[in-house]
Amino acid sequence: MTDIRIDIREKVFPAVGQAAAHAAIQDFHLTLHSGEFVCLVGPSGCGKTTLLNIVAGLDRDYRGEIRIGRQQALPKIGYIFQNPRLLPWRTVRQNIELVLQESSAGNTVDFLLEAMRLTRFQHVYPERLSLGMSRRVAIIRAFAIDPELLLMDEPFVSLDPPTARQVRELLLDLWRKRPHTVLFVTHDLREAIALADRLIFLSPSPMSVIGDIRVPIERHLRQDENEIEAFRRRLLDGAPHIKQLL
Amino acid sequence: MTDIRIDIREKVFPAVGQAAAHAAIQDFHLTLHSGEFVCLVGPSGCGKTTLLNIVAGLDRDYRGEIRIGRQQALPKIGYIFQNPRLLPWRTVRQNIELVLQESSAGNTVDFLLEAMRLTRFQHVYPERLSLGMSRRVAIIRAFAIDPELLLMDEPFVSLDPPTARQVRELLLDLWRKRPHTVLFVTHDLREAIALADRLIFLSPSPMSVIGDIRVPIERHLRQDENEIEAFRRRLLDGAPHIKQLL
Amino acid sequence: GDQVPIRIGVQVAGTSGWELSALEHDPQKAVRSFTVAAQPLANAEAGKIALQSGAVDMIVSDWIWVSRMRASGADLTFYPYSTTSGALTVPGDSPIKSIADLKGKRLGIAGGELDKNWLLLKALAKKEGVDLEASVEKVFGAPPLIDQQLKLGRIDAALNYWHFAARLEARGYRQIIDGKGILQGLGITEPVANIGYVFKQGWANAHKQAVNDFLHAVENAKKQLCSEDQTWRNVIPMLKANDHATQDKLRQRYCSGIVQAGGKAGQQAAERIYRLLRELSGNRLTGEAAALQPGTFWTLD
Amino acid sequence: MNRLQKFFPVLSLAAFFAIWQGLAFSLNSTLLPSPLMVLGVFWLELISGQLTYHLGATLVRLIVSFTIAMLLGSAIGLALGRLKKLDAFFDNWLVIFLNIPALVTIILCYVWFGLNEASAILAVVINKLPNVVVTVREGARALDQDLLDMARCYRMSRLNTLQHVIWPQLHPFLMSATRSGLALIWKIILIVELLGRNNGVGFQLHLYFQLFDVASILAYSIAFVIVIQGIEYTILKPLDKKSQRWRR
Amino acid sequence: MNRLQKFFPVLSLAAFFAIWQGLAFSLNSTLLPSPLMVLGVFWLELISGQLTYHLGATLVRLIVSFTIAMLLGSAIGLALGRLKKLDAFFDNWLVIFLNIPALVTIILCYVWFGLNEASAILAVVINKLPNVVVTVREGARALDQDLLDMARCYRMSRLNTLQHVIWPQLHPFLMSATRSGLALIWKIILIVELLGRNNGVGFQLHLYFQLFDVASILAYSIAFVIVIQGIEYTILKPLDKKSQRWRR
Ligand SMILES: Nc1ncnc2c1ncn2[C@@H]1O[C@H](COP(=O)(O)OP(=O)(O)OP(=O)(O)O)[C@@H](O)[C@H]1O
Ligand SMILES: Nc1ncnc2c1ncn2[C@@H]1O[C@H](COP(=O)(O)OP(=O)(O)OP(=O)(O)O)[C@@H](O)[C@H]1O
Ligand SMILES: O=C([O-])O
Ligand SMILES: [Mg+2]
Ligand SMILES: [Mg+2]
């Protein structure tokens, strides 16, 4: 896959009834390089989910353009939505297998279920899961299709720290083995620093890029909490327009 | 309000179809003192939501007892569910006002909307909100009824740090002004330390109490990140059965 | 003295309305022992419901049904009204000239499988060596639909109620045989009323004078309709027929159906018809009762 | 594009009549009178007062029986959908009443309770009620438990819960019960009028059927369709719109 | 308690017949024959082969027309529910077809296409179709956009989306269309048979209606109810159960 170039001049939700029109995104320009891990950080309601929906091709009602290299076909996209969006009438396993093109992926599914500690629950319907468990199923679903572009909208909330750590490592493992572009939304700056190549800081809506910062910590050093904490402090003491977001 | 005594000998979700029976809670005993702020910390899927549902009286299918002092009537309960549970066909304001007994609470609602930065969106239907915004509405709804018992199931996820900070302060303000008992579920240890009188650590399901630790930091010192960080480190270096949760 | 009100269920398309109209215009109206209130009804079944539920005192129906109802305990009785009954009709240029010619043709039958005319026609055909059941393509349907199908040429012949037949006749269609003819063919030559007034016997006994006066008056009205043109002209709007040919044909067929009530011979003929129909329908039309129920016919005295 | 869409209802009606006119023209038979001919009959019946009289009679029956059937049916359907035991018991009855032929209930009502307006309406209600129950019961079974729990936890009154939590979820089911219900009642009422009333559209339709007067039959049908269209545009569509306005 | 609940269907049937028997006994009229009498008639008709013959004829019509109406109606309803423009255009037609009296469509079908089986089935389908469309359309309007987006994003095939995302959401609507649909078709089929067929339950009912033989009318009605109960217990209830098993 080649680079993804996002140019959104304007995304406006039209007025309906009493609700006024709402300009969610304005003059938003961003290039994701192939295989890059990019974290989006911005205030609640600024337009992050809106952006992911546009990139995923679910929302075509905007002025602007998403260009994906010279490639004709859209890349294979794994999208971890902000809510799990499981089909309640299909079991955990059935939910995952439904989106797989080939049935040969059984191995990976088994592996992912085990890694997420859900093997015991694979034949259970989603209503019998806790929210954190449902979110893990949604994560498996996105990983299982072996995506070229991975969109993640706060994927690790509702996970306890050990589980979250494990899932983060799993994500990085998969990403290293077969690099795919990742667009990752989080409110947790420590998590963003631990994962990302680049941090994109976003303004309140109408959303635009107000900071584009490369994380300078080498990957093998990121296990160290202190390294991450240090960079975080630096950011907090940095530019005031970014600081106010943190 | 007087103390709340929770004694759950067993909560089992019965087997249905292929899914086996699941023992969610076993021998769980906990006393919440009047006006106490208690945080629950435990792995995803351990039974926290199940517990809150039982305390709220929504789930009566368990062996055990919830005793609320000598008081006959159930206390007024504000419950921030893990998902917002707004009525999509009512605007933000209508959602809040629906649960208010008297219509005189308009002032508080205005105040809370302003504090959550949602005044501009008060006449908007929930489908036009971001998830973080919906969660804030759910928080307002719980605060607005002036509850005697406040149940909060990971209320501040999906909020950006400045907003989360602000809401935390608001919560503490309200709590100090009119002390009510709070049962607060979170995966964020820093958040738990910053807020709680007591931390309750929970085992994986079947859930029981494996740690009941008073937070020794005085409230006026909790603004200081370093104090909190220090206590957190102490916990991380503490008992191994608790450490594995963190 | 007081006039007894008689509520009569009148089918909008039926002939009893004509007579009631004649009664209405009768100058003697004020001095009679009864008054008439006509209750419009959409069809025959509505009449049966109306009578049973007590909404009307009298309807026009047939005596086989009355006998059947008496057998099951109902207190109904019948007074003859007309011998006019359905007819087998074909287009004017049809090759069908007799019952035997029906073989291999499409025959439309109104009134269903247990239609009296159909049962009797089959019996007559059998007598002539034709098995209609096997050799005719039957098309059952509601009377107006059967009529329409014949006009459209989708069926070759129609066994339908008399006024459909009369209207067709006026338009050049041919009658092969009518109900009376079928009975004659089967050896029953006495005129037997096909339809008549049906009412509850208990009610009639309680108002005997008025009921009998009414039945007399109706008979007179009928005669007037056939003999006095002025009286007839009054009912012409009710015919829903604009051309004289149809009007005249309707009057002709109507008047030829007038019966004199009672008579031992008539009763005996009715008994024979009853037994015949019972056999032909395998009890289904008549019910289990082996013979015509006593009291089925109301007698004027 | 949006502009054009505004005229869709008019266009579709025009298309309907154009097709009809075309067919009538090419068939050239009394069995399919042209729209214009039907309009002529319609007009004559209208100025003679016949149409208004019979249509009025039918509409009164329709409104009364529809209201009773919807209110009662919704209540029963909601109860059966939520209370498993009640449903287990009455489910059989429902199937029986759903499938007793209209003819049977109509005859029995008339014969037992007399040939009067009340029996007619009762007969219609008995025929329509089970359909409403079945539809609303499906809706009640599909209610969102999370929202009901929320209402319970926040101690919303029964009335508030019904009005603001349950009703909006039942709305699509109620709309379908309403639309197909008007149509069903209309079919039933025609039989009811045929068998025991001396006015109403059903009575007239049968009369014209005897005379095979297709133009008059169509004129009366159109009159009814116009009334229902009126209800659609003044009541149902606005309700639809109101209930949909929260959707993105 | 759960034990007892198992017997509810039997108990409720027993209660139904007990009430009926009680009424029949106290009224003592031919207009309400007792269940035993009806059973006697039922038995006679059964061994004479009449019942099976006519019920069979009606059921064939029912199955054919039901299948056509449900398949076609679901497809159209789904399309109208999802495509606003299509709906804007055809909404008027739907209201028209929904409210053309059964009598009219039946007569016209018979007159135009002859008194044959195909016309009969066509007439039933035309009467039932709009009801299915209206019900499924409501369901299609209420589909969860989040799940549809998920399916689209993960490039699920059209078939998979229909089967696994859309169908389960339409299920309650389809069940209500099925249950009230069987009942509606039954009502229509009776008129269809009455007006232009020479077999079927409707034909028989009309016959016995002419004779005012309530016991036979009830016997045939019961035969039909038994068939529908059979369908309930062998097809619809298991479907219900299967579709509900994911609920907490
Ligand atoms: N369907 C919609 N119609 C109208 N406005 C909308 C719609 N969806 C989102 N918005 C508005 O657009 C803005 C951005 O919403 P979005 O969901 O993208 O926020 P977000 O950055 O994902 O926030 P959060 O972190 O809380 O999830 C919000 O102000 C919201 O009110
Ligand atoms: N309705 C149900 N039926 C069967 N099992 C259930 C049901 N609800 C929850 N469970 C099971 O009970 C356990 C506890 O669930 P609960 O939702 O209380 O977890 P939790 O602690 O809130 O987790 P999380 O942090 O992920 O929200 C889980 O293993 C879940 O699978
Ligand atoms: O059941 C009917 O006679 O329509
Ligand atoms: Mg979002
Ligand atoms: Mg939970």
Side-chain angles (χ1 to χ4, degrees), chain D residues 60-73:
Chain D
V60 170
R61 286 174 199 133
L62 181 102
I63 291 167
V64 174
S65 49
F66 176 81
T67 310
I68 298 175
M70 283 302 284
L71 288 180
L72 209 59

Side-chain angles (χ1 to χ4, degrees), chain B residues 48-67:
Chain B
K48 303 177 293 295
T49 302
T50 307
L51 175 69
L52 294 196
N53 284 340
I54 289 176
V55 174
L58 296 177
D59 185 345
R60 299 189 195 278
D61 183 24
Y62 63 95
R63 295 202 306 124
E65 203 179 5
I66 310 290
R67 253 166 314 170

Side-chain angles (χ1 to χ4, degrees), chain B residues 57-58 74-75 79 81 83 85-90 98-99 125 127 141-142, chain D residues 145-147 149-150 152-156 160 164-165 168-169 245-248:
Chain B
L58 296 177
L74 261 174
Y79 190 168
F81 301 94
N83 46 14
R85 300 200 190 177
L86 303 181
L87 299 172
W89 40 83
R90 290 181 70 85
L98 187 59
V99 301
Y125 288 102
E127 299 242 329
R141 180 172 61 186
Chain D
Q145 190 59 44
D146 279 0
L147 292 183
D149 278 353
M150 185 280 289
R152 191 140 68 89
C153 181
Y154 279 98
R155 313 242 183 100
M156 281 172 55
N160 268 347
H164 298 298
V165 183
Q169 295 186 65
R245 78 188 152 177
W246 56 269
R247 291 191 193 275
R248 301 176 273 208

Side-chain angles (χ1 to χ4, degrees), chain C residues 188-241:
Chain C
I188 299 165
T189 46
E190 299 85 353
V192 179
N194 175 41
I195 51 170
Y197 283 108
V198 176
F199 40 87
K200 290 188 175 142
Q201 194 166 355
W203 169 83
N205 282 331
H207 307 285
K208 211 164 202 156
Q209 188 60 46
V211 170
N212 290 346
D213 287 351
F214 168 77
L215 296 173
H216 274 304
V218 169
E219 253 157 56
N220 280 332
K222 206 174 282 191
K223 282 177 194 145
Q224 273 178 29
L225 280 168
C226 294
S227 57
E228 291 171 28
D229 289 345
Q230 182 50 48
T231 314
W232 175 250
R233 268 196 289 281
N234 284 335
V235 305
I236 283 180
M238 303 171 76
L239 306 183
K240 308 266 182 202

Side-chain angles (χ1 to χ4, degrees), chain A residues 57-58 74-76 79 81 83 85-90 98-99 125 127 141-142 145, chain E residues 145-147 149-150 152-156 160 164-166 168-169 243 245-248:
Chain A
L58 296 176
L74 262 172
K76 224 193 306 175
Y79 189 169
F81 301 94
N83 46 15
R85 300 202 189 173
L86 303 181
L87 299 171
W89 39 82
R90 292 181 70 85
L98 187 59
V99 300
Y125 288 102
E127 298 242 330
R141 182 173 59 188
I145 63 163
Chain E
Q145 191 59 43
D146 279 1
L147 292 183
D149 278 353
M150 185 279 289
R152 190 141 68 90
C153 181
Y154 279 98
R155 313 242 184 100
M156 281 172 54
N160 268 347
H164 299 300
V165 183
I166 296 176
Q169 294 186 67
S243 77
R245 79 189 153 176
W246 56 269
R247 290 190 193 274
R248 298 177 276 209

Side-chain angles (χ1 to χ4, degrees), chain C:
Chain C
D2 283 345
Q3 289 181 306
V4 176
I6 300 180
R7 298 166 301 165
I8 302 185
V10 185
Q11 277 187 60
V12 188
T15 53
S16 61
W18 305 355
E19 287 139 27
L20 296 187
S21 151
L23 282 188
E24 193 63 21
H25 290 96
D26 188 355
Q28 292 228 306
K29 191 174 154 187
V31 298
R32 291 189 299 231
S33 60
F34 62 89
T35 58
V36 171
Q39 193 101 294
L41 297 168
N43 65 6
E45 282 66 45
K48 289 174 181 169
I49 293 174
L51 182 64
Q52 311 246 355
S53 67
V56 299
D57 302 313
M58 263 189 205
I59 59 170
V60 172
S61 191
D62 65 310
W63 51 267
I64 294 169
W65 178 67
V66 171
S67 173
R68 184 187 168 107
M69 293 301 284
R70 283 186 80 86
S72 68
D75 154 55
L76 298 181
T77 189
F78 174 94
Y79 183 79
Y81 169 82
S82 170
T83 61
T84 346
S85 59
L88 179 65
T89 311
V90 296
D93 56 0
S94 165
I96 301 171
K97 304 272 189 268
S98 70
I99 298 173
D101 295 337
L102 286 174
K103 262 189 279 183
K105 298 283 195 265
R106 281 172 69 86
L107 171 62
I109 303 156
E113 205 184 358
L114 294 188
D115 180 60
K116 283 187 292 288
N117 285 327
W118 169 234
L119 290 171
L120 295 169
L121 183 69
K122 277 195 291 185
L124 180 58
K126 195 166 237 162
K127 224 173 123 188
E128 296 175 5
V130 181
D131 183 2
L132 282 186
E133 191 72 51
S135 62
V136 162
E137 190 184 337
K138 299 169 289 177
V139 177
F140 290 91
L145 271 176
I146 292 295
D147 189 54
Q148 202 61 33
Q149 294 285 304
L150 184 67
K151 286 180 188 159
L152 289 175
R154 291 228 177 94
I155 52 179
D156 304 307
L159 186 60
N160 208 341
Y161 297 144
W162 76 268
H163 58 98
F164 284 106
R167 283 169 203 267
L168 286 173
E169 239 187 318
R171 296 175 56 168
Y173 285 68
R174 257 189 303 120
Q175 278 196 9
I176 301 295
I177 192 168
D178 67 356
K180 250 182 287 184
I182 297 172
L183 280 175
Q184 273 166 9
L186 288 168
I188 299 165
T189 46
E190 299 85 353
V192 179
N194 175 41
I195 51 170
Y197 283 108
V198 176
F199 40 87
K200 290 188 175 142
Q201 194 166 355
W203 169 83
N205 282 331
H207 307 285
K208 211 164 202 156
Q209 188 60 46
V211 170
N212 290 346
D213 287 351
F214 168 77
L215 296 173
H216 274 304
V218 169
E219 253 157 56
N220 280 332
K222 206 174 282 191
K223 282 177 194 145
Q224 273 178 29
L225 280 168
C226 294
S227 57
E228 291 171 28
D229 289 345
Q230 182 50 48
T231 314
W232 175 250
R233 268 196 289 281
N234 284 335
V235 305
I236 283 180
M238 303 171 76
L239 306 183
K240 308 266 182 202
N242 293 327
D243 60 312
H244 290 293
T246 305
Q247 292 165 7
D248 292 347
K249 189 51 85 181
L250 282 169
R251 189 181 187 187
Q252 182 201 330
R253 289 287 174 202
Y254 167 75
C255 292
S256 72
I258 295 179
V259 268
Q260 217 52 49
K264 258 254 157 338
Q267 288 258 6
Q268 277 165 357
E271 290 277 359
R272 283 171 59 202
I273 296 173
Y274 179 90
R275 279 193 293 272
L276 194 56
L277 286 172
R278 177 168 184 269
E279 194 195 317
L280 291 171
S281 72
N283 295 359
R284 291 176 61 213
L285 177 59
T286 54
E288 294 297 320
L292 190 62
Q293 294 297 299
T296 297
F297 290 93
W298 172 259
T299 42
L300 284 181
D301 49 20

